[in-house]
Amino acid sequence: KKKQKNMATYQRKRGQSKYEESNIDAFVKTTIEWNPNVSFAHAADAPTLESLSSGGNVKAVLIAGKEETLKAHPIIADTPALSATLEICGSGKTSATFVGTTRVVIGVIPAKASRTNSSGRPDVLQAFVKAAIG
């Protein structure tokens, strides 16, 4: 039977440096109170750009979908800057613009997929998220 170690074995030995201790305390606090800079919402649950951007508190919004779906979506159809951004965006590509202080990235999911790709195209969605986070 494997002998279990006492928890004291894993405890960090405290140093004499106040600077080191404050850095470690700050790291632990940051880890515990971590707030991610990315959140996800479905456009159907947020009918306006302001609601998608949490009233301007979010610095970037990614809107992804197939071209025909994006063209018909009220957020894009009712915002001339977004309609123009969608027009210059190619299939499988992203294009960005600012609406107020919010950076809006539009990603067009290709309509075609190879037999080994899902029609949801997670392969391009990963690139879209990277472009939005930038």
Side-chain angles (χ1 to χ4, degrees), residues 57-76:
N57 293 327
V58 174
K59 298 297 179 206
V61 171
L62 167 64
I63 303 174
K66 297 201 174 167
E67 188 172 12
E68 62 276 359
T69 305
L70 291 173
K71 282 182 178 179
H73 198 283
I75 290 175
I76 294 176

Side-chain angles (χ1 to χ4, degrees), residues 56-117:
N57 293 327
V58 174
K59 298 297 179 206
V61 171
L62 167 64
I63 303 174
K66 297 201 174 167
E67 188 172 12
E68 62 276 359
T69 305
L70 291 173
K71 282 182 178 179
H73 198 283
I75 290 175
I76 294 176
D78 296 343
T79 311
L82 296 181
S83 295
T85 303
L86 177 58
E87 290 301 319
I88 62 171
C89 189
S91 180
K93 306 283 185 201
T94 60
S95 189
T97 191
F98 277 89
V99 177
T101 59
T102 304
R103 182 171 172 259
V104 181
V105 179
I106 296 177
V108 178
I109 298 173
K112 294 182 181 179
S114 71
R115 64 183 178 86
T116 58
N117 285 340

